């Protein structure tokens, strides 16, 4: 019995009662419930079906683009992660006056190579640079990557994946409706200029997103608060419509062609760390379209072959009907040029397709190259393009024609050819001639879009007197290339027969397209091509028709100046001025007498002064000029050659006679007294100062001082300044009054000399010595001349000149 009681007691202690167990269980449940309540609830996953469903609008293409509940999503296949694409930002529609008239609908704002990369729970859009490259199999590749970190434009949270997990969905709404600087339509310079404060999100939105097989086009409307907008000032608002094109770059880049400075091409560049030399190679590749022959065997045999993919330009639907044929001709004129490179039907223009022909056609779509017709008062045309930075392959280009540009050509046609060309002596230029001008402007801009920069040496290729020959000008034009700024034949004189007055494509254009576009058989690397390319250059090296001259600001090569024609600037400008005198005498008769209005006369007179100034500037370029002829060491002759002393002194004499002596023919009373009440003397001074300041510029004088180190017979800086002083102050040699124009010019000479005294670096060169010496000589001249001056104002003027020189030479007095 005792044993049974003991067992029962042990059991009662070991096994809790049901009530006790229930209480403990209740406590545990309560504890668990408390713990679960304190834990954050897991976020509900945003599944594919919640984004893409029957209510979703889907546009299939490069990426599938989904629009649902006011948001846009990209469905990016994993196969495209790391794939290089080109992101091009353009202005689709703009407010009036944006950029001062040289920005238009269709203008490119930014171009960048981008890649999509996955990082944790985000998808990154990164910019990839080709400023430095190395093969990923080499150890140095790691250093190139480490020292060229790619910027992240945007980090997109991953929303979900598609049903088979082969693509990632991201919401791009915020990216395209926010002020992301990398894709903005208002760059930093505009923000400063127009005092842009912020993007107003309530007035900014995505207009549309369309996906095509190789590209995606996004149209955004951005509205910014701005204190000084370019138009509609009272609104304090700038609204721009921006187009973003994301295009798939070729999986296999086109084989590049190495740039050679002896043939003009736009370029892309990189620093190549693959080299085994003691430094990295800086490489530049020409920019060109990918033209590949359909029949390589026939091409290799020298037959004309069509390209696999021709270059096609579409005309803007906004182009006036009567101008379309001229624009088309300006493109099609290049077909003959490409035949020189072995291709037929390589380039063509097409009229804009109708909605039925191509419902997806859009000038902003990067699949289409378009010649855009812009409603703008700007007088210009441009030929930009978009290229693959890996190879230089041109992907697309939009040529821009501004509506008012033909007015400039009409005016210049009248002014530069009116003396020898009766059909130019009117404000109503014949349609055929206007059309021919437009055709050649388009051809020029197409040249840019093909990769060709300006070739300013082309206008120096022909002898001056050849440009007075009808047969010569009809065959060769007025310059060796359409890519020069040689618009009209201003050399031909009254009585010359059969002259071509308007520019045209020339022999250099055939040569440069052949050099850049002809496929070289059996070449598998850019380096393999160099030997053949060099042979092509060597074959033409001694012929001026095939020389290339760089356009540069502050040009030092007189053979590569803008707006000139002929190989002798003194002779050409003499002919040009002679013609211009005839035009000045008849300008009223050809304009205001016909219209009973002075508006056109005023406009054309102002441009006439500009034409005269250009002719003078061409001659000024000879003084201190240095010819530049890019060469390889295997070629004969030097790269840089000074203009002869004889030519420089001849040019100085011409300037004294035709610029610094008062050109009274430039100020006919019947014009001046009907277009302005005052300002005649100051207007002439501005024109003379342009040449005076150019002659007395630090760069020109430095070149002339350096000639002492390489030449034995040279026109020295001290001789030039002396000759300039003697000519401008020639009245001091006798008892002659100085008219107001010359008094102003002489004051300008003294002032400019004073400026040279403080030019940076002048104290450690001969420049200060020359200036001080010439001013002292002039001071003595003026003192003597003031004692025998005929009239009072001349006497006062000379005394004032002495005081001005004293202030320069001894400013502490």
């Amino acid at each position: 019995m005792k044993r049974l009681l003991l067992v029962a007691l042990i059991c009662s202690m070991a096994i809790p009662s049901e009530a006790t167990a229930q209480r403990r269980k209740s406590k545990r449940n309560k504890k668990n419930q408390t713990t679960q309540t304190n834990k954050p609830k897991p976020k509900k996953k945003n599944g594919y079906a919640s984004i893409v469903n029957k209510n979703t609008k889907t546009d299939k293409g490069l990426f599938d683009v989904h629009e649902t509940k006011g948001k846009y999503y990209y469905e990016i296949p994993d196969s495209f992660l790391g794939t290089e694409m080109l992101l091009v930002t353009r202005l689709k529609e703009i407010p009036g006056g944006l950029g001062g008239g040289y920005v238009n609908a269709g203008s490119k704002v930014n171009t960048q190579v981008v890649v999509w990369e996955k990082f944790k729970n985000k998808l990154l859009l990164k910019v990839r640079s080709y400023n430095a490259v190395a093969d990923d199999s080499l150890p140095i590749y790691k250093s190139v990557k480490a020292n060229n970190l790619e910027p992240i434009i945007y980090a997109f949270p991953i929303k979900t994946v598609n049903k088979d997990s082969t693509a990632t969905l991201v919401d791009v709404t915020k990216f395209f409706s926010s002020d992301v600087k990398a894709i903005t339509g208002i760059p930093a310079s505009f923000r400063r200029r127009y005092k842009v404060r912020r993007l107003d999100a309530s007035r900014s939105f995505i207009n549309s997103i369309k996906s095509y097989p190789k590209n995606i086009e996004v149209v955004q409307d951005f509205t910014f608060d701005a204190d000084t907008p370019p138009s509609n000032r009272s609104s304090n608002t700038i609204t721009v419509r921006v187009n973003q094109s994301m295009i798939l770059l070729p999986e296999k880049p086109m084989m590049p062609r190495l740039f050679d400075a002896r043939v003009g091409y736009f370029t892309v560049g990189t620093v190549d760390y693959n080299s085994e030399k003691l430094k990295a190679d800086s490489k530049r590749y020409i920019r060109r379209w990918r033209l590949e022959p359909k029949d390589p065997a026939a091409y290799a045999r020298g037959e004309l072959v069509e390209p696999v993919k021709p270059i096609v330009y579409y005309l803007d639907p906004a182009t006036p009907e009567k101008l379309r044929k001229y624009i088309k001709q300006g493109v099609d004129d290049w077909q003959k040029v490409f035949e020189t490179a072995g291709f037929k039907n390589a380039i063509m223009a097409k009229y804009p397709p109708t909605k039925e022909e191509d419902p997806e056609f859009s000038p902003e779509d990067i699949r289409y190259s378009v010649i855009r017709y812009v409603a703008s008062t700007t007088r210009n045309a441009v030929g930009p393009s978009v290229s693959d930075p890996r190879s230089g392959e041109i992907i697309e280009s939009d040529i821009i024609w501004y509506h008012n540009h033909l007015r400039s050509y009409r005016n210049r046609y009248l002014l530069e050819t009116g003396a020898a060309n009766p059909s130019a002596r009117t404000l109503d230029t014949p349609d055929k001639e206007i059309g021919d001008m437009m055709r050649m402007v388009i051809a020029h801009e197409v040249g840019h879009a093909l990769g060709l920069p300006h070739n300013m040496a082309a206008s120096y290729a022909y002898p001056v007197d050849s440009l007075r020959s009808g047969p010569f000008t009809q065959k060769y034009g007025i310059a060796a290339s359409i890519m020069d700024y040689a618009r009209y034949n201003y050399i031909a004189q009254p009585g010359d027969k059969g002259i071509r007055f308007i520019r045209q494509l020339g022999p250099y254009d055939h040569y440069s397209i052949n050099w850049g576009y002809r496929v070289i058989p059996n070449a598998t690397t850019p380096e393999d091509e160099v030997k053949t390319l060099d042979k092509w250059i060597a074959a033409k090296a001694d012929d001026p028709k095939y020389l290339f001259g760089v356009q540069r600001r502050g040009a030092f090569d007189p053979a590569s100046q803008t707006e000139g024609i002929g190989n002798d600037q003194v002779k050409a400008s003499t002919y040009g001025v002679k013609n211009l005198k005839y035009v000045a005498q008849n300008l009223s008769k050809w304009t205001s007498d016909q219209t009973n209005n002075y508006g056109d006369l005023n406009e054309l007179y102002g441009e006439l002064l500009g034409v005269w100034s250009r002719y003078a500037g061409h001659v000024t370029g000879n003084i201190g000029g240095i010819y530049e002829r890019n060469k390889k060491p295997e070629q004969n002759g030097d790269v840089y050659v000074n203009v002869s002393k004889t030519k420089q002194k001849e040019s100085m004499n011409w300037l004294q006679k035709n610029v610094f002596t008062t050109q009274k023919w430039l100020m006919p009373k019947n014009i001046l007294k009907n277009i302005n009440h005052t300002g005649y003397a100051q207007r002439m001074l501005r024109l003379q100062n342009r040449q005076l300041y150019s002659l007395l510029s630090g760069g020109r004088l430095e070149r002339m001082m350096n000639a002492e180190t390489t030449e034995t017979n040279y026109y020295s800086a001290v001789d030039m300044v002396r000759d300039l002083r003697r000519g401008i102050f020639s009245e001091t040699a006798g008892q002659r009054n100085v008219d107001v124009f010359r008094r102003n010019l002489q004051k300008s000479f003294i002032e400019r000399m004073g400026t040279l005294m403080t030019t940076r670096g002048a104290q450690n060169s001969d420049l200060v010595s020359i200036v001080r010496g010439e001013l002292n000589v002039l001071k003595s001249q003026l003192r003597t001349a003031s004692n025998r001056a005929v009239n009072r104002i001349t006497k006062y003027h000379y005394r004032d000149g002495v005081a001005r020189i004293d202030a320069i030479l001894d400013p502490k007095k």
Side-chain angles (χ1 to χ4, degrees):
M1 188 65 181
K2 288 181 180 178
R3 187 176 297 163
L4 290 172
L5 290 172
L6 181 61
V7 171
L9 180 62
I10 293 171
C11 288
S12 66
M13 293 174 65
I15 300 173
S17 66
E18 184 178 341
T20 304
Q22 289 293 335
R23 284 195 299 271
R24 289 180 180 174
K25 184 177 180 182
S26 177
K27 287 179 180 179
R28 283 198 303 270
N29 288 341
K30 191 173 182 180
K31 185 177 180 181
N32 288 341
Q33 288 172 4
T34 303
T35 304
Q36 289 173 3
T37 302
N38 292 338
K39 283 183 179 179
K41 291 182 180 180
K43 292 182 179 178
K44 185 179 179 180
K45 289 185 177 180
N46 188 7
Y48 186 80
S50 67
I51 297 175
V52 183
N53 50 55
K54 64 180 182 179
N55 298 317
T56 303
K57 293 180 181 177
T58 297
D59 193 17
K60 292 186 175 293
L62 178 65
F63 305 154
D64 287 354
V65 176
H66 306 293
E67 182 185 359
T68 182
K69 296 179 181 178
K71 292 189 174 183
Y72 290 90
Y73 298 86
Y74 279 4
E75 184 175 326
I76 303 173
D78 291 346
S79 59
F80 280 129
L81 297 180
T83 299
E84 293 170 324
M85 302 178 185
L86 207 60
L87 181 58
V88 183
T89 304
R90 295 183 190 277
L91 294 170
K92 181 177 173 67
E93 296 179 30
I94 60 171
L98 186 73
Y102 284 89
V103 175
N104 54 268
S107 288
K108 186 172 57 176
V109 178
N110 197 8
T111 302
Q112 47 202 330
V113 178
V114 296
V115 293
W116 295 89
E117 288 187 5
K118 193 174 285 186
F119 177 74
K120 295 184 179 179
N121 63 341
K122 294 185 183 297
L123 208 59
L124 308 180
L125 184 62
K126 304 175 74 173
V127 176
R128 178 157 294 176
S129 170
Y130 277 86
N131 292 333
V133 296
D135 193 293
D136 58 9
S137 64
L138 298 176
I140 198 170
Y141 174 77
K142 297 177 181 177
S143 180
V144 170
K145 289 285 287 182
N147 287 283
N148 292 275
L149 186 63
E150 297 164 346
I152 299 169
I153 294 178
Y154 205 83
F156 299 86
I158 294 175
K159 293 297 181 182
T160 188
V161 296
N162 66 352
K163 291 178 181 178
D164 59 3
S165 300
T166 59
T168 302
L169 268 76
V170 293
D171 185 347
V172 297
T173 312
K174 186 177 180 182
F175 175 63
F176 286 122
S177 57
S178 303
D179 191 11
V180 179
K181 300 297 189 294
I183 61 168
T184 184
I186 301 290
S189 60
F190 286 5
R191 291 171 189 262
R192 292 189 298 269
R193 182 173 181 175
Y194 302 121
K195 298 183 181 178
V196 173
R197 287 181 278 113
R198 69 181 184 94
L199 177 76
D200 185 349
S202 67
R203 293 179 288 165
S204 301
F205 45 85
I206 298 170
N207 191 294
S208 66
I209 302 182
K210 295 181 180 179
S211 189
Y212 302 99
K214 291 187 177 182
N215 58 301
I216 295 178
E217 304 295 324
V218 181
V219 178
Q220 310 154 276
D221 284 12
F222 285 147
T223 298
F224 296 87
D225 290 331
D227 291 337
T228 58
S231 57
N232 299 304
R233 290 292 181 93
S234 61
S235 69
N236 280 42
T237 294
I238 298 176
T239 297
V240 292
R241 182 162 287 173
V242 180
N243 192 97
Q244 308 287 349
S245 296
M246 184 175 285
I247 184 170
L248 187 67
L249 285 173
E251 184 177 351
K252 182 181 180 182
M254 176 185 72
M255 188 177 83
R257 180 156 291 180
L258 286 165
F259 170 69
D260 192 308
R262 296 171 294 177
V263 184
Y265 269 89
F266 294 125
T267 63
V268 296
T270 187
V271 177
D272 189 347
Y273 286 91
N274 292 316
S275 173
E276 294 183 3
K277 299 176 183 177
L278 297 179
K279 69 177 183 67
D281 282 341
S282 292
K283 290 186 176 178
R284 300 204 70 79
Y285 303 122
I286 68 171
R287 291 172 58 184
R288 57 180 180 157
W289 295 80
R290 186 191 293 234
L291 287 186
E292 300 166 329
K294 281 184 180 178
D295 187 342
Y299 186 88
R301 291 194 300 268
E303 299 175 25
L304 288 179
V305 175
E306 290 188 342
V308 174
K309 183 181 179 183
I311 304 164
V312 180
Y313 280 95
Y314 289 89
L315 271 63
D316 190 331
T319 307
E321 290 284 346
K322 70 175 184 178
L323 299 177
R324 293 187 176 193
K325 66 178 180 180
Y326 302 117
I327 293 176
K328 188 177 187 305
Q329 287 173 332
V331 179
D332 294 345
D333 281 341
W334 285 92
Q335 289 183 2
K336 270 293 188 188
V337 179
F338 274 99
E339 288 181 7
T340 306
F343 292 101
K344 65 178 179 180
N345 300 323
I347 184 171
M348 64 194 72
K350 294 184 178 181
Y351 293 119
T354 63
K355 283 288 184 184
E356 292 72 28
E357 291 170 332
D358 187 350
E360 294 182 340
F361 176 79
S362 169
E364 284 74 36
D365 185 343
I366 204 164
R367 293 179 302 164
Y368 301 96
S369 292
V370 179
I371 300 175
R372 302 184 63 115
Y373 195 97
V374 178
S376 169
T377 57
T378 299
R379 299 184 184 183
N380 198 19
V382 293
S385 61
V386 174
S387 60
D388 184 342
R390 305 170 303 175
S391 64
E393 178 185 354
I394 296 174
I395 305 295
E396 178 267 358
S397 83
D398 279 350
I399 293 168
I400 313 297
W401 175 276
Y402 298 84
H403 179 71
N404 276 19
H405 198 30
L406 279 177
R407 189 174 182 90
S408 294
Y409 277 82
R410 181 207 67 177
N411 290 359
R412 298 256 318 249
Y413 192 55
L414 184 153
L415 296 170
E416 295 184 25
T417 77
N421 179 15
S423 68
R425 300 168 187 170
T426 175
L427 295 174
D428 298 316
T429 310
D431 286 347
K432 184 180 182 305
E433 290 165 56
I434 283 288
D436 199 14
M437 296 174 207
M438 187 176 201
R439 175 181 178 177
M440 292 303 111
V441 178
I442 292 296
H444 176 95
E445 302 307 336
V446 169
H448 285 320
L450 296 173
L452 306 180
H454 290 135
N455 176 9
M456 293 309 177
S459 55
Y460 193 73
Y462 299 154
V464 169
D465 285 329
S466 295
L467 299 173
R468 297 188 60 189
S469 163
F472 183 92
T473 56
Q474 294 296 340
K475 181 177 181 180
Y476 294 105
I478 60 175
S481 172
I482 193 71
M483 301 314 299
D484 202 319
Y485 275 166
R487 304 173 203 268
Y488 296 115
N489 186 345
Y490 59 79
I491 286 172
Q493 296 294 292
D496 293 344
K497 303 295 183 182
I499 299 296
R500 179 169 178 85
F501 290 99
I502 301 170
R503 61 182 169 171
Q504 64 185 29
L505 281 88
Y508 175 85
D509 302 314
H510 289 258
Y511 164 71
S512 62
I513 289 296
N514 181 73
W515 189 92
Y517 280 88
R518 178 171 284 278
V519 177
I520 299 175
N522 304 318
T524 57
T525 69
E527 288 72 20
D528 289 344
E529 297 184 328
V530 172
K531 191 173 181 180
T532 299
L533 296 171
D534 281 351
K535 283 182 179 178
W536 293 346
I537 294 173
K540 306 288 188 183
D542 297 326
D543 191 331
K545 293 193 297 293
Y546 304 105
L547 295 179
F548 173 71
V550 178
Q551 180 188 15
R552 53 164 60 92
R553 186 170 293 178
F556 57 82
D557 182 353
S560 295
Q561 299 187 86
T562 63
E563 312 288 357
I565 56 174
N567 65 353
D568 184 333
Q569 292 87 355
V570 173
K571 194 172 187 179
S573 291
T574 299
Y575 279 134
V577 169
K578 185 178 179 181
N579 283 338
L580 210 53
K581 287 179 179 178
Y582 180 87
V583 172
Q585 290 172 357
N586 291 279
L587 195 57
S588 295
K589 184 169 66 175
W590 299 342
T591 58
S592 55
D593 288 0
Q594 304 299 317
T595 63
N596 197 30
N597 185 294
Y598 289 118
D600 288 300
L601 176 64
N602 188 14
E603 179 182 327
L604 280 158
Y605 174 68
E607 293 190 29
L608 181 144
L609 296 178
V611 172
W612 173 81
S613 183
R614 282 194 293 272
Y615 295 164
H618 297 153
V619 178
T620 299
N622 281 329
I623 300 174
I626 300 173
Y627 299 116
E628 179 182 45
R629 292 292 175 262
N630 285 304
K631 299 181 178 185
K632 286 192 173 181
E634 63 188 18
Q635 294 177 260
N636 294 326
D638 297 324
V639 173
Y640 298 105
V641 177
N642 290 78
V643 175
S644 72
K645 180 178 180 179
T646 301
K647 177 58 69 176
Q648 292 190 58
K649 286 185 73 67
E650 180 189 12
S651 299
M652 174 58 75
N653 292 335
W654 191 93
L655 290 170
Q656 293 288 1
K657 179 181 177 182
N658 293 279
V659 176
F660 299 130
T661 299
T662 304
Q663 304 297 297
K664 293 188 177 180
W665 67 270
L666 274 174
M667 296 170 288
K669 291 180 181 180
N670 67 319
I671 294 179
L672 295 184
K673 298 187 78 171
N674 287 304
I675 63 173
N676 211 323
H677 69 288
T678 188
Y680 315 139
Q682 288 303 311
R683 197 168 197 174
M684 176 55 65
L685 179 63
R686 285 195 296 271
L687 292 167
Q688 292 175 319
N689 275 346
R690 187 173 298 174
Q691 308 311 320
L692 177 66
Y693 291 178
S694 181
L695 288 170
L696 294 178
S697 64
R700 190 181 307 276
L701 290 165
E702 182 182 353
R703 293 196 299 272
M704 299 184 78
M705 290 186 288
N706 280 331
E708 184 179 345
T709 64
T710 58
E711 308 293 322
T712 54
N713 185 26
Y714 58 93
Y715 191 36
S716 69
V718 68
D719 287 343
M720 189 273 280
V721 177
R722 180 198 61 198
D723 290 346
L724 190 59
R725 169 185 57 77
R726 284 177 174 175
I728 290 177
F729 287 88
S730 60
E731 292 91 342
T732 62
Q735 289 184 314
R736 287 187 290 164
N737 290 329
V738 185
D739 68 27
V740 62
F741 301 102
R742 293 281 286 182
R743 293 197 300 269
N744 289 344
L745 177 62
Q746 290 170 3
K747 287 182 174 69
S748 274
F749 177 88
I750 295 171
E751 180 186 24
R752 186 64 183 174
M753 293 287 274
T755 301
L756 287 174
M757 290 283 284
T758 58
T759 299
R760 186 178 178 182
Q763 302 301 323
N764 297 319
S765 75
D766 284 339
L767 187 55
V768 168
S769 305
I770 293 169
V771 171
R772 192 182 302 279
E774 284 299 313
L775 285 178
N776 274 313
V777 172
L778 179 58
K779 179 180 172 181
S780 178
Q781 279 183 293
L782 293 175
R783 276 179 172 165
T784 302
S786 68
N787 294 325
R788 59 171 182 259
V790 177
N791 63 8
R792 188 178 301 175
I793 188 59
T794 299
K795 184 184 294 287
Y796 289 169
H797 167 66
Y798 286 155
R799 290 175 180 174
D800 176 67
V802 171
R804 288 170 183 256
I805 293 172
D806 283 339
I808 293 170
L809 296 179
D810 193 357
K812 295 180 181 179
K813 274 189 177 181

